[in-house]
Amino acid sequence: MSDFKHKLDQMMGDTSEQERRIKQRVRDELQSSVRKRSWPVLFVSAAIPVVALLLFLTIGPLNQLSSDEGRGTPYDPLDDLAEISALQKKQQLSSVDYEKFAELPNFEKVDGLYYVDQEGFSLKGSSDSYHTVIERQANLYDEVVYKAGDIVRTMTNTSSHLPTYADAYYEVIAVPGDRVVLKDGQLKINGKLQKSDIMERYEKMGVKIAGGYDQLLNAREYFLLNHFPASETIQGATITPVHKIYGKVAGIASEEGGDSIYLDYLSGDLRSEYSPEQMFDLYLYDQLLGENKLPGSEELAQSSRIAELFLEAAYRTETAISADQVEIRYQYGRQGVAEHVFKMGMNTNSGHWQLED
């Protein structure tokens, strides 16, 4: 016993029991205080990751987080490509309902950025032969020029792993900036399962969508599907660059009542009043169709940009050099992009403007 404790006991008697009670009370109060504070802290600590996870899933749902899922089984297009190509060769890939085009505007004059598709068709109740009118787009490389639901014509050589075909009408499903996820025939655009008239039609007709994508479309890419698929077929979903799309279907024109340099060309009845730019378009059109009805041009024959030059009509100007010579110049307004210059001269024998090499 310490001297201090001994003296305290002499003065106040034995204080051991009182000290024990004081220590116990202090201990009880300390424990009670810890218990009162600890359970809210534990609850909040546990709630933080749960709330964070809920917010994360709300802002970025799982179907948009595929890049975080790690490696998967890659899509192999070879079998689908073989089946689609076989259907195309047998002309069993598409079933075009031309009567649907009867609802479109009827063009009496087709000029400017408009042209006619070479394929003719008939409509019920009319003896005329019709062609769809296709619209080339201005600002092709500077804006989103097509929207979902547009019906377009395409080229056969796309950068997608599944091809498009020149004699099929395609529908735009997604546009630049959209995220496309296609897996096992299930298509999602921007994280949402695609629901539209064409999707319902595909389901009712038993059409399978082939392809495998998890991709954000860049500024010049569009996602396309065959607008008129044949029943019980497999159809390739393709990501197609804008310069591989001929243009969108804008209406129809009849061979008998329509005024168009292209209808004249298809009928073999070219007149002499066409402008140099119109004739230049016909040269490109002739090369695209592979008809070679117009005098050959070595410069065009060596060019790999025939289709692009045709589509880029809004980027060119016509300037008179002399009474019988005109310059056709493509200007894109972008630094580092080469201009293209062509010359047209008047053929006094035929009365037509023609390309000069």
Side-chain angles (χ1 to χ4, degrees), residues 53 56 85 95 103 105 132 155 176 193 251 257 264-265 300 302:
L53 180 60
F56 184 70
S85 298
S95 181
E103 304 168 5
T132 50
M155 304 177 190
L193 192 65
D264 294 345
Y265 167 86
L300 281 186
Q302 295 176 351

Side-chain angles (χ1 to χ4, degrees), residues 83-84 87 92-95 182 184-186 198-210 225-237:
E83 186 173 349
I84 292 170
L87 288 169
Q92 296 174 345
L93 189 68
S94 300
S95 181
L182 175 61
D184 299 328
Q186 187 179 64
I198 190 171
M199 291 294 103
E200 292 179 4
R201 189 161 69 249
Y202 268 51
E203 185 176 355
K204 289 179 180 178
M205 296 174 66
V207 177
K208 176 187 173 184
I209 302 175
L225 278 175
N226 191 345
H227 182 70
F228 293 113
S231 297
E232 306 294 333
T233 57
I234 179 172
Q235 298 287 331

Side-chain angles (χ1 to χ4, degrees), residues 115-119 131-132 134 136 246 260-266 278-294 300 306-307 310:
Y115 70 99
V116 301
D117 190 87
Q118 71 176 120
E119 190 70 28
H131 298 258
T132 50
I134 311 298
R136 293 170 287 182
Y246 281 118
S260 167
I261 58 173
Y262 305 101
L263 291 174
D264 294 345
Y265 167 86
L266 292 172
Q278 285 179 315
M279 282 303 300
F280 183 75
D281 256 348
L282 280 187
Y283 270 92
L284 297 174
Y285 190 73
D286 181 62
Q287 291 286 319
L288 282 176
L289 300 185
E291 295 292 333
N292 299 315
K293 293 181 179 180
L294 300 179
L300 281 186
I306 299 297
F310 185 68

Side-chain angles (χ1 to χ4, degrees), residues 8-76:
L8 188 62
D9 286 347
Q10 285 181 340
M11 293 172 59
M12 303 182 64
D14 187 1
T15 60
S16 298
E17 183 63 22
Q18 187 175 2
E19 288 174 5
R20 188 189 64 76
R21 288 196 299 269
I22 291 172
K23 289 179 181 180
Q24 183 64 41
R25 187 165 61 250
V26 171
R27 189 181 299 113
D28 292 342
E29 287 178 358
L30 287 174
Q31 291 178 348
S32 175
S33 176
V34 170
R35 283 196 299 270
K36 288 180 180 178
R37 286 197 300 267
S38 64
W39 74 264
V41 172
L42 289 172
F43 177 81
V44 172
S45 299
I48 287 175
V50 174
V51 173
L53 180 60
L54 288 173
L55 288 173
F56 184 70
L57 293 177
T58 302
I59 296 172
L62 285 177
N63 52 30
Q64 292 193 12
L65 303 177
S66 53
S67 59
D68 295 331
E69 294 177 358
R71 289 178 58 82
T73 303
Y75 170 70
D76 185 352

